Amino acid sequence: MEPERKTTADGSATFYVPEINEHYHSTYGAVQESMHVFIKAGLRVLMKKTISIFEMGFGTGLNALLTYLEADKYNSIEFHALELFPLKWNLIETLNYQGYLNLTKEQTMIFRNMHSIPWEEKIQISSNFLLKKMKADMNNHVFHSKYDLFYFDAFAPNVQPELWTEEIFKKIFNAMNVHGILITYSAKGEVRRNLQKAGFEVQRLPGPPGKREIIRAIKQ
Ligand SMILES: C[S@@+](CC[C@H](N)C(=O)[O-])C[C@H]1O[C@@H](n2cnc3c(N)ncnc32)[C@H](O)[C@@H]1O
């Protein structure tokens, strides 16, 4: 069954997956949530000019796109993304992030390329943005690199409890550089505790509209 397109409160669109009764982004604002959580509370906090990022759950590519739109502030960004259930471009296109974000022709082409490039290969999609997508399951993924920033964007803990565990967070902790940041939209008590048990120092931050708090976890 294909996901259904929904318009969220900030006017940007997302997908709804009826089988699991879950949206890809917040219904209070898809772009607003991604900007607030992953870009403002994650990317912009790092005090580095050369950054390696891992995203758990590439989905529509919105986080990758918003990160790319910040890329000229950095020397280089290497972005690795894991996705078990890739979406087709002709579906993603219907979300019209290109229109909502007022993308230029070149930026729209790059967003499209993010979806059409081959999996498992490192591709330089712009002068300072390198993308590698991996079609794999987070449950048994083995990390081969270290990261400064981890976008943890799985479906919610009540939908995918097996991904928000101490065991998974420990695996991520071991794949992070010192002072690396894991950022996620859930501030559930159990998620916080599992991150702490995995070794992270956990901060609770104000969430975007519709969400009281989010989590930033740091490898000290
Ligand atoms: C909340 S959505 C992420 C949205 C995405 N970051 C975006 O901006 O569109 C969760 C994503 O995780 C993917 N996913 C779910 N379980 C997974 C698993 N075990 N391994 C890898 N990806 C998974 C889903 O297919 C979905 O694309």
Side-chain angles (χ1 to χ4, degrees), residues 159-191:
V159 176
Q160 303 199 280
E162 74 283 1
L163 289 183
W164 302 78
T165 59
E166 177 186 349
E167 190 191 352
I168 295 273
F169 291 145
K170 185 85 203 162
K171 206 159 75 162
I172 295 171
F173 185 86
N174 291 333
M176 304 278 305
N177 288 323
V178 176
H179 305 309
I181 288 175
L182 177 151
I183 191 87
T184 190
Y185 64 87
S186 174
K188 224 182 153 189
E190 202 183 336
V191 172

Side-chain angles (χ1 to χ4, degrees), residues 137-155:
D137 187 342
M138 183 63 196
N139 285 294
N140 43 41
H141 180 67
V142 178
F143 291 99
H144 295 290
S145 309
K146 294 247 175 179
Y147 300 95
D148 302 307
L149 183 58
F150 201 105
Y151 294 166
F152 195 88
D153 202 10
F155 288 123

Side-chain angles (χ1 to χ4, degrees), residues 24-25 55-57 59-60 63 83-85 136-138 153 160:
Y24 272 62
H25 306 96
E55 177 170 40
M56 155 58 224
T60 63
N63 292 335
E83 177 55 60
L84 190 55
F85 309 106
D137 187 342
M138 183 63 196
D153 202 10
Q160 303 199 280

Side-chain angles (χ1 to χ4, degrees), residues 43 46-52 70-78 128 148:
L43 179 64
L46 282 178
M47 304 301 280
K48 290 182 81 175
K49 287 286 174 197
T50 299
I51 297 182
S52 54
E70 301 270 311
D72 54 5
K73 299 178 188 156
Y74 301 89
N75 293 338
S76 77
I77 294 181
E78 181 159 343
N128 55 359
D148 302 307

Side-chain angles (χ1 to χ4, degrees), residues 179-212:
H179 305 309
I181 288 175
L182 177 151
I183 191 87
T184 190
Y185 64 87
S186 174
K188 224 182 153 189
E190 202 183 336
V191 172
R192 270 200 327 268
R193 285 188 292 278
N194 287 344
L195 282 162
Q196 279 162 342
K197 283 191 233 159
F200 286 102
E201 182 189 299
V202 174
Q203 300 173 344
R204 284 188 283 174
L205 308 169
K211 197 149 283 177
R212 204 159 50 89

